[in-house]
Structures are given as structure tokens and as C-alpha cells.
Amino acid sequence: MTAWKKKEKELTKEEAIEQARAANLPFWFGCSPKFVIYRAEGRKASVFPLDKDFDEFSWMITILNPSTFSGQKMISFTREMQKRYHVNNVKFLVVIPSFYTYLKDRTAIEAIIRRHQITCPVAVDPDYLICEAFDVKKLPAIAVVNKREVLYSHSGDGWNEKPEEELQKHLRSTDPGLALLPLFKEQSGELSADVHIMDLGRGRNVKYPEPGFKPLEDKPGTGYAEFKGDRPQVMKEGEFFIKGKWHQDGDRIFTRDKEAEIGFCCPHPGLSLVAQSMEKTYEMAKVVIDLDGAPAFEVFGSEDLTFDEEGQSCIKADTTRLYHAFKSIPPGKTQITLRFTAAERTSVGLHGIRIIR
């Protein structure tokens, strides 16, 4: 027998929009939700505006992973475009898909906004529906939109080559004599993009020595492994070495083993790590980084490289983020070793490794 249920009142358009706005508010920062994503059965996700701004203005939408060098470079590009074109009533939006679990956390997103001085609205894309609606094939991605029409879009490498040119073309389509700045050019000699991204969590792109991580019955979603063996004296590009006692979940690997090591070859000048301290007290975790078996020279270092009391080159991590260790490693197939000498006291979590050209 089916229980009788009072028929729900059909919402007006205004009530439905207000309900959608309230439901999506936790995923937007710096403004109320500008649009919502909906998907009719069997169809691609689509954008439905919740704010007249999205229908009335031109927008540059940048979709990025802030735990990659390319994603952070896109944030800087967005800031530059905003400075140049806000006077032309162009609006800007940064979209952050939840590539890692921490990117669903409001506190973490607020920290990213502060750290990178993002002044335009930010939207989190927990289910990748915004990516689907804008046909994103690879991150980072960018779209120039006018009154819901996508005028230009690009995914992956080369994302910064044409969007400003296309935006200027659009602005001059209604005002041919509009005075605009020369196209922005990056300074030569800067690091440009991630070459090799290693993501260390379960089911991601790093293959571990057999038998790999064994699931822990008392901790669903977590695995454990003890890796043994000697590191090859010379590792080739793309090879990965790991030693010691490690745990793994869907986002990261983590250890309390002070003898643990990770090794790989870095043939490019830049190296960054997505790392964190696993301690609830936010005690800093230390990752010692050796280049060709020795501490690095300070001149090779980037903003997060430091040196401990023993003269070892290292990064010290607290909250989860991308830590920039090196920006000018000398040319060649440099052998990198990550060591975790203080892990017994402060457990270290590693989400990923970024090699940057």
C-alpha cells in the first residue's frame, strides 16, 4: 500500500532561482552564485544564469587546479587580465575543480584566495559539472563568454596564447576604435608549465612496486605498504623509486618512517611538491630534498626552499598546498631524493610531485 503524500507546491521561476542560489552558495566565494549547472537526462551539462550579470556582461572564465604550477600561473594571468579589462566591464571568474578532497573545503579555498590575492569571484566545481558545461578536456582551461555564448575556449597547453587577442577582437567588434593595451607578454626566462605531474593517491597516475598497497580493514579507503630495495644509482626520466613504510588514501601517501625515501629523475629546472603536515597541531613537516645525493645550493631554490640546522635543503609544510622547491636546477638528468628524517615526530603527507620546465 502506498502512503498518501501531500502534493508539493510547484515553484515559480523566481522561487526556483532563489532555491538554486541558496543551494549553490557554499561553492561560491566573493559573490552570490552567477549560474547553476543542470543536466537534462541524456544530455550534456548546461549553464543556467542565476544573476543578470552573466547575461549582460562579457566574462573570462579560467578553470584550473591550484595544486599545479600551470594552475597558479593561470591565476596570475587572470589577475593581469582583470587589471587590464575591468574598465571595459569585462567580468572574471576562477573555477576550481575538486581534484583533491581538500579543494572542497571552504577554509582551504579561502586560504588559496588570500595566498594568491584573487580579487574576482571563485567557484568550486566539486562534481566537474562546470568543466562539462564548458567542454573542458584538460586543465587548465579558459573561456571567453558573452551573454552566455562561448566566443573562445581552450583546454590544456597553449591556454594563454589567444584568449586576450580574442577578448580584444570581441570588444572592438562593437567599438572598432576602442583603445586597448598591447597584448600581454610574459617575461622571458620564467618557468612556464608542468612537464610531468605525479599524483600519489590511490588509483592516480603513479605505479608502485608490486604488490603495492594492501587495504586496511580497520581504515576503509586506506592502504598500507612497506617498500624495500635499493635505489638505482641512475634513474631515467619517468622512473619512480619508493622505500619505507607508507599509508595511502585516495589523495595522498603519508609516512612516519624516518628511513622512508622517494627518488626520481628531474631533467627540468623546476620542482614543486603538494605536501602537508598530517598533525592536527599544524606542526611543520619536513621534506629533505637532495640533488645528486647532496644538499642543493641556495641559488637553485624557489620561494619555499629552506635549510635546516644541519645544512640540508628542505621544504617545511603545514597546510596542504603546492610548495615550490626549485626554479633553476642545472640542465641534465638530476637525481632527486626526498627524505623524511623528522617523520617519526611529524607525519608527512604527499599528494603530488610537479616537474616544471
Side-chain angles (χ1 to χ4, degrees):
M1 183 176 179
T2 304
W4 177 82
K5 184 179 180 181
K6 183 179 179 180
K7 185 178 180 181
E8 293 182 3
K9 176 189 171 185
E10 188 171 331
L11 297 176
T12 65
K13 180 180 177 181
E14 291 73 20
E15 288 172 333
I17 288 175
E18 193 55 42
Q19 193 175 87
R21 188 178 285 123
N24 283 272
L25 187 60
F27 304 108
W28 286 73
F29 299 77
C31 69
S32 61
K34 297 297 180 184
F35 55 77
V36 65
I37 305 298
Y38 72 97
R39 186 202 285 130
E41 188 173 349
R43 295 193 176 186
K44 175 188 165 186
S46 301
V47 175
F48 183 84
L50 297 176
D51 190 306
K52 63 180 182 179
D53 282 2
F54 197 71
D55 272 337
E56 293 180 358
F57 293 101
S58 300
W59 288 77
M60 181 176 281
I61 300 173
T62 48
I63 305 172
L64 56 92
N65 178 356
S67 71
T68 64
F69 181 84
S70 297
Q72 293 192 357
K73 194 174 183 69
M74 181 175 263
I75 292 173
S76 298
F77 177 83
T78 305
R79 286 202 311 265
E80 178 65 30
M81 294 300 103
Q82 189 178 11
K83 282 192 292 185
R84 287 167 162 251
Y85 297 104
H86 75 278
V87 295
N88 303 106
N89 287 323
V90 178
K91 306 296 182 182
F92 293 83
L93 173 67
V94 171
V95 176
I96 300 178
S98 297
F99 185 79
Y100 293 126
T101 303
Y102 86 93
L103 294 174
K104 295 181 181 180
D105 181 72
R106 281 194 69 87
T107 302
I109 298 299
E110 288 166 351
I112 290 168
I113 291 170
R114 288 193 303 272
R115 183 173 185 82
H116 296 286
Q117 301 175 3
I118 302 173
T119 56
C120 67
V122 172
V124 172
D125 188 15
D127 302 312
Y128 282 73
L129 288 176
I130 298 177
C131 288
E132 182 182 334
F134 286 99
D135 202 27
V136 173
K137 300 291 191 297
K138 184 180 179 183
L139 296 178
I142 192 165
V144 177
V145 179
N146 182 58
K147 298 177 181 178
R148 276 199 256 183
E149 180 188 359
V150 177
L151 305 177
Y152 171 81
S153 65
H154 186 91
S155 297
D157 294 343
W159 59 266
N160 54 350
E161 292 175 3
K162 291 190 69 176
E164 185 181 14
E165 181 182 342
E166 293 297 323
L167 178 61
Q168 288 196 357
K169 189 186 301 182
H170 163 64
L171 293 173
R172 285 183 171 136
S173 67
T174 55
D175 186 355
L178 182 64
L180 296 170
L181 291 169
L183 296 177
F184 174 67
K185 290 185 178 180
E186 297 176 356
Q187 295 181 6
S188 60
E190 290 187 350
L191 295 177
S192 59
D194 307 91
V195 175
H196 187 34
I197 293 176
M198 290 180 263
D199 287 306
L200 304 171
R202 184 183 63 255
R204 297 185 184 259
N205 68 349
V206 169
K207 292 184 178 180
Y208 293 92
E210 295 294 341
F213 288 89
K214 181 180 179 181
L216 295 175
E217 293 182 4
D218 59 334
K219 295 181 180 178
T222 302
Y224 172 79
E226 182 175 358
F227 298 103
K228 299 179 180 180
D230 296 324
R231 174 193 169 129
Q233 190 169 0
V234 178
M235 299 187 70
K236 299 177 183 177
E237 186 174 358
E239 292 182 336
F240 180 82
F241 171 78
I242 186 168
K243 183 178 81 172
K245 300 171 183 177
W246 291 87
H247 287 81
Q248 182 191 51
D249 61 22
D251 281 344
R252 66 206 161 186
I253 58 174
F254 46 101
T255 186
R256 280 196 179 277
D257 183 358
K258 65 180 182 180
E259 303 297 329
E261 285 186 10
I262 287 175
F264 52 91
C265 171
C266 183
H268 297 280
L271 175 65
S272 299
L273 306 176
V274 187
Q276 70 174 121
S277 167
M278 299 294 290
E279 306 303 323
K280 293 181 180 179
T281 57
Y282 294 104
E283 187 175 351
M284 302 285 275
K286 182 168 73 172
V287 181
V288 176
I289 310 176
D290 293 335
L291 272 57
D292 290 329
F297 292 113
E298 187 175 0
V299 69
F300 301 157
S302 194
E303 61 200 70
D304 292 309
L305 188 74
T306 187
F307 293 84
D308 64 15
E309 58 278 1
E310 298 173 9
Q312 300 178 115
S313 46
C314 59
I315 63 163
K316 293 184 178 180
D318 46 15
T319 56
T320 311
R321 67 173 177 88
L322 185 63
Y323 291 85
H324 299 293
F326 296 103
K327 62 182 178 181
S328 54
I329 297 173
K333 298 186 182 298
T334 303
Q335 303 294 299
I336 304 292
T337 304
L338 308 182
R339 298 187 290 117
F340 308 89
T341 56
E344 196 172 39
R345 183 176 68 252
T346 309
S347 180
V348 183
L350 273 183
H351 289 64
I353 298 165
R354 315 296 190 228
I355 295 174
I356 306 156
R357 66 169 180 258

